[in-house]
Amino acid sequence: MKHEKPSDLKAATHLDVLIIGAGISGLGMAVHLKEKCPERSFAILDQRSDIGGTWNLFQYPGIRSDSDMHTLGFEFEPWREQKAIADGPSILSYLRRIKDERGLNDHLRLGHKVLSASWSSSDARWTIAAEVEGQGVCHLTANYLFMGTGYYDYDEGYDPAFEGRESFGGEIIHPQFWPRGFDYAGKNIVVIGSGATAVTIVPSMTDKAKHVTMLQRTPTWYWSRPAKDWLANSLRAIMPDEWAYRFIRFKNVRMQQISFKRARENPKKVGDYLLKRIRKIMGSKMNEPDFQPPYGPWEQRLCLVPDGDMFKAIRDGKADIVTDHIDRFTPTGIDLKSGKHLDADVIITATGLKLAMAGKVAFSVDGQPVDFTQHYYYKGCMFSDVPNMAIVFGYLNASWTLKVDIVADFVCRTLNHMAATGTDVAVPVLGSDGPVNEEEIFDFSSGYVQRALHILPKQGDRMPWRLNQDYLFDRKVLREEAVDDGVLAFRKADAHAPQQTAIAAE
């Protein structure tokens, strides 16, 4: 493959690799591709006008990481800030620095919303239809497709239909669509939900609001830790950033794995420990039932509370938690099933995300629509019988970026193997290693996961037909095992396949 000049990259209609999404997944893939497959041409498409994905979209008060930046950061770019639990603007700045310093600007094509992706076996390439802001639909072709689109719907969040909603006299806001410059000073705020978004918003709004109430249907398990990692900051003072970062990343990955395993094996002991940490901060202001979920720790993702900020806000009377069920919205607030009423000027529906599969792109292979629910995951990053396409679905029990790095490495190894063997196609062939039985894909009870089971691909009862929640295991599989494993078939283009017309979604 020849190097293309920046001007050529902007105009090229055929690329070796198309990366869909300019958030953490897409940018990570781009850096790995530049370093490990330097002869491959590529472009990064994103429907938004700026990079950053999640960290560009979400603008609600206090937006921050829900895991430490030594694992949410990339393996190739140390996190150098004092706070390991970082706010959204700091994370976006980190991503922009990577974009600039790693030479990704010439590969970006923003304002491109991918509508469809059609594979032709005769040509061994994908044809992409993308709606370009202000210009209509354009078509691009690529030999390989990388979906870095995240796992939730950018166009709509999960917002239950609450009875009486239209009667409420104040403002109702979903955090995914936070209005720029919204003034909540002196107002009574009710935040519906008890997940990571609600836990972030509640303490962040107490600076100006009259009072903030978190209304939860079910309590959540919380993990309180300092926003600053003293060990990481101390190590950076005595050794190069790269060394300190590598050590803390190694430590945090293994501690997370140990903590998750311990929670699953002895949930009561771990639950008691988590409650003890909350009691230490809140003292007599802690209402025990509000912090005792009906499930074990890590049956849903633990909510991180840096520096115990939410617990301190409740202790100091700036916020409170109400555990109850909603009966209906009223002109002045919310009536609860218990008969109580919550006064509200603003209601924030932090009720969760709506998952989307592969960015809601319409896929087809040789003219046949792809229904991902009928395909099995292959090594957690490809799909049975879908050629030359990889995707990132991050961990529910660890940082998303851990998965990005190892999937990107696997894709690069696959591309290099194709170049070395003169093959055009890499496709996981279901049945090539014997029959596969289906299993439940997740053993997490989180609402956003359970609501999306009907759109997700299948989970096999054995490798390689699985999406795992074990980073160390996946790291070994994706980085150390041979890509030519007898299941991932490598072929040349099928000149005898019927010619297919690209499915355009104009």
Side-chain angles (χ1 to χ4, degrees):
M1 304 290 174
K2 66 181 181 66
H3 280 296
E4 298 201 39
K5 298 177 182 178
S7 57
D8 296 332
L9 282 172
K10 290 292 187 181
T13 57
H14 176 75
L15 291 303
D16 295 322
V17 182
L18 270 180
I19 298 170
I20 313 302
I24 283 180
S25 300
L27 296 176
M29 180 69 237
V31 173
H32 281 275
L33 198 58
K34 286 197 73 173
E35 292 181 350
K36 298 166 183 173
C37 304
E39 296 302 314
R40 298 276 182 172
S41 64
F42 71 92
I44 311 166
L45 275 57
D46 197 289
Q47 70 181 65
R48 298 177 64 77
S49 60
D50 197 1
I51 70 158
T54 296
W55 305 104
N56 177 276
L57 174 68
F58 287 103
Q59 299 292 326
Y60 58 77
I63 174 72
R64 65 192 179 202
S65 62
D66 65 347
S67 55
D68 73 281
M69 289 303 301
H70 299 96
T71 56
L72 189 60
F74 295 106
E75 62 181 11
F76 55 76
E77 184 69 23
W79 179 255
R80 296 181 171 90
E81 304 294 328
Q82 288 288 307
K83 283 190 174 183
I85 310 302
D87 59 46
S90 296
I91 298 171
L92 193 55
S93 176
Y94 171 80
L95 294 175
R96 285 175 173 156
R97 185 173 75 249
I98 289 170
K99 170 184 68 74
D100 294 338
E101 294 180 356
R102 304 278 175 161
L104 301 183
N105 286 297
D106 291 324
H107 299 269
L108 282 168
R109 301 188 188 187
L110 301 175
H112 283 61
K113 182 177 182 179
V114 177
L115 305 174
S116 67
S118 309
W119 171 262
S120 167
S121 293
S122 60
D123 299 322
R125 63 175 53 177
W126 289 97
T127 298
I128 306 301
E131 185 178 6
V132 185
E133 194 171 356
Q135 300 179 34
V137 175
C138 76
H139 292 87
L140 304 171
T141 58
N143 301 110
Y144 201 97
L145 191 60
F146 180 87
M147 301 301 294
T149 49
Y151 69 160
Y152 61 84
D153 194 326
Y154 271 45
D155 302 316
E156 56 181 305
Y158 176 66
D159 210 349
F162 295 111
E163 188 176 349
R165 181 181 181 123
E166 68 286 347
S167 71
F168 179 60
E171 298 191 62
I172 302 173
I173 302 172
H174 192 287
Q176 188 167 326
F177 308 103
W178 195 266
R180 188 179 297 275
F182 177 66
D183 184 13
Y184 54 88
K187 296 183 178 181
N188 283 315
I189 314 290
V190 174
V191 181
I192 301 173
S194 59
T197 303
V199 169
T200 298
I201 289 175
V202 168
S204 299
M205 296 188 76
T206 57
D207 60 341
K208 299 177 183 177
K210 182 178 180 180
H211 190 78
V212 183
T213 297
M214 183 166 80
L215 172 57
Q216 62 179 13
R217 183 174 56 185
T218 307
T220 296
W221 286 110
Y222 301 113
W223 164 246
S224 178
R225 60 162 288 179
K228 294 182 178 180
D229 187 326
W230 69 269
L231 180 58
N233 295 337
S234 299
L235 288 177
R236 283 208 309 275
I238 61 174
M239 65 175 66
D241 287 350
E242 290 77 8
W243 295 6
Y245 183 70
R246 199 173 302 130
F247 175 81
I248 296 298
R249 186 179 177 90
F250 176 89
K251 174 189 73 74
N252 287 0
V253 164
R254 279 149 184 81
M255 288 302 298
Q256 189 280 326
Q257 293 280 83
I258 291 170
S259 299
F260 179 76
K261 184 177 180 181
R262 187 173 296 166
R264 286 303 183 91
E265 292 176 348
N266 198 336
K268 185 178 187 310
K269 186 174 182 179
V270 172
D272 289 343
Y273 172 74
L274 295 173
L275 291 173
K276 183 179 178 181
R277 292 176 69 91
I278 300 173
R279 288 190 198 100
K280 187 175 180 180
I281 299 173
M282 296 187 65
S284 61
K285 295 294 182 72
M286 179 180 176
N287 181 37
E288 295 277 342
D290 291 333
F291 298 92
Q292 295 181 342
Y295 57 87
W298 275 121
E299 288 181 25
Q300 296 184 18
R301 190 178 176 100
L302 257 63
C303 278
L304 181 63
V305 184
D307 296 325
D309 57 4
M310 186 180 75
F311 309 136
K312 292 175 182 176
I314 296 170
R315 180 195 65 193
D316 297 342
K318 298 177 181 179
D320 65 343
I321 295 179
V322 173
T323 305
D324 210 323
H325 287 70
I326 295 173
D327 181 49
R328 61 181 295 111
F329 285 16
T330 72
T332 59
I334 301 175
D335 281 344
L336 305 175
K337 295 286 187 181
S338 64
K340 296 179 182 178
H341 178 82
L342 293 179
D343 289 330
D345 302 305
V346 179
I347 296 174
I348 300 170
T349 55
T351 44
L353 304 171
K354 181 180 178 182
L355 267 60
M357 186 62 210
K360 300 191 296 185
V361 173
F363 280 83
S364 65
V365 172
D366 293 328
Q368 298 301 311
V370 174
D371 178 358
F372 285 105
T373 66
Q374 300 305 306
H375 294 258
Y376 283 86
Y377 268 107
Y378 168 80
K379 293 186 176 179
C381 65
M382 295 182 74
F383 302 106
S384 60
D385 304 316
V386 178
N388 289 22
M389 193 269 271
I391 195 167
V392 174
F393 193 115
Y395 296 107
L396 299 180
N397 62 355
S399 294
W400 183 275
T401 317
L402 293 173
K403 190 67 170 287
V404 174
D405 280 324
I406 57 176
V407 169
D409 185 79
F410 177 78
V411 171
C412 290
R413 292 205 299 132
T414 300
L415 291 171
N416 287 336
H417 181 82
M418 293 166 71
T421 56
T423 50
D424 307 302
V425 181
V427 56
V429 180
L430 186 67
S432 58
D433 59 342
V436 181
N437 296 315
E438 187 177 357
E439 283 189 352
E440 187 176 353
I441 191 168
F442 296 121
D443 60 353
F444 280 72
S445 60
S446 303
Y448 70 97
V449 171
Q450 295 300 313
R451 290 192 299 269
L453 292 178
H454 68 287
I455 66 169
L456 297 179
K458 293 183 178 183
Q459 174 89 327
D461 60 345
R462 58 180 173 82
M463 288 296 290
W465 308 109
R466 296 181 61 82
L467 174 71
N468 297 303
Q469 298 298 320
D470 186 334
Y471 165 69
L472 293 177
F473 176 82
D474 282 345
R475 181 185 172 92
K476 182 177 181 179
V477 168
L478 293 174
R479 284 218 152 129
E480 298 178 20
E481 293 185 2
V483 293
D484 190 2
D485 60 358
V487 175
L488 187 61
F490 292 89
R491 305 167 178 165
K492 290 184 177 294
D494 184 0
H496 302 292
Q499 292 286 337
Q500 300 293 335
T501 302
I503 296 177
E506 291 100 331

